[in-house]
Amino acid sequence: MWPLGLLAFLSQALAVPEHGRALVGLDYVPMGRGDLSWTAAEQGSGLLVGELDGVIRPPLTAWGGPRFGRAAVLGSLGLARQASTTWTGDLKTHRAVGAVRPGLDLRRYLGAPSQEGPAGYVQLGGYGSIPWVRYHSEAWSEEEALAMDEAETADRARIGGVGLRAGAGVEFWWPQGVAIGGRLFTVAHRQQATTTDGYTVDTWLQGEAALTISVSL
């Protein structure tokens, strides 16, 4: 009977017209000793656009989406790209790496929707890093071009990945529709690279605390 329960939840959520229908905000995750240790240990992708390199997921990130009473659907988007073009005489060499990182979260407020006073919530979401890698040169031989095709495949695997996050937070709302708060997530990230002998799976699990500011529109 879960479809009926879902319909009842949606009808109850949509029947709250006095509150904002959209929620936008910023999350701030300050740099810490872990970030410095990660860099010192040379654990990044080496391409600057990987999930854990700090560019596509900077300390300050924006999000937003519709709110339905106690529930909200929040989306985010990260983007990073680095490209270089070199001319050797009339021959051109082009290298480009990048990624797009869409994210989607479902937030559920624990109490009655309010825009005044404290409000707690739980949140569940995920994201995916979609790589874009292109190496091309008019000066390469056929063997060099084949080697760079293999390098493209390897670098896509170093950039791409998926992740899940879950946690809870609390906000303090003012009547003007602005809230300041904090949240704590557990984040799991997974990457997979194919080798000649099989494949390798890398996983990363960490806790992530952030300061937040929200605006109800």
Side-chain angles (χ1 to χ4, degrees):
M1 300 298 289
W2 66 268
L4 295 178
L6 178 61
L7 290 175
F9 165 75
L10 291 176
S11 63
Q12 180 182 8
L14 293 171
V16 191
E18 66 272 17
H19 298 288
R21 288 302 187 189
L23 196 64
V24 297
L26 296 171
D27 287 357
Y28 175 63
V29 180
M31 177 181 290
R33 292 179 58 188
D35 300 283
L36 300 176
S37 299
W38 183 269
T39 302
E42 299 181 350
Q43 293 297 310
S45 70
L47 302 169
L48 299 181
V49 297
E51 172 66 20
L52 303 175
D53 292 336
V55 177
I56 199 170
R57 189 177 62 120
L60 189 64
T61 57
W63 48 264
R67 178 176 177 179
F68 309 99
R70 296 187 186 184
V73 181
L74 306 175
S76 60
L77 184 67
L79 177 66
R81 184 176 184 269
Q82 181 186 37
S84 64
T85 304
T86 304
W87 281 268
T88 305
D90 294 332
L91 302 179
K92 182 175 68 173
T93 299
H94 182 71
R95 299 169 183 259
V97 295
V100 178
R101 183 185 183 275
L104 185 67
D105 290 78
L106 303 178
R107 176 180 294 186
R108 170 74 175 182
Y109 286 94
L110 301 179
S114 174
Q115 288 184 217
E116 186 173 357
Y121 61 86
V122 294
Q123 189 163 322
L124 174 66
Y127 62 86
S129 292
I130 305 170
W132 192 90
V133 180
R134 175 61 173 164
Y135 301 147
H136 174 73
S137 177
E138 298 171 350
W140 291 340
S141 65
E142 184 177 348
E143 291 77 11
E144 289 172 328
L146 290 175
M148 295 311 296
D149 286 343
E150 295 179 359
E152 280 187 15
T153 301
D155 288 347
R156 288 190 188 98
R158 294 164 67 185
I159 297 172
V162 295
L164 295 175
R165 55 196 175 205
V170 63
E171 300 171 321
F172 188 90
W173 285 90
W174 278 271
Q176 294 80 5
V178 178
I180 294 178
R183 52 93 170 156
L184 178 63
F185 285 170
T186 297
V187 183
H189 182 74
R190 182 183 188 276
Q191 292 177 260
Q192 180 174 314
T194 302
T195 65
T196 55
D197 299 325
Y199 62 91
T200 301
V201 175
D202 294 321
T203 58
W204 177 258
L205 183 69
Q206 70 175 41
E208 180 185 87
L211 300 174
T212 66
I213 180 169
S214 307
V215 178
S216 182
L217 303 177

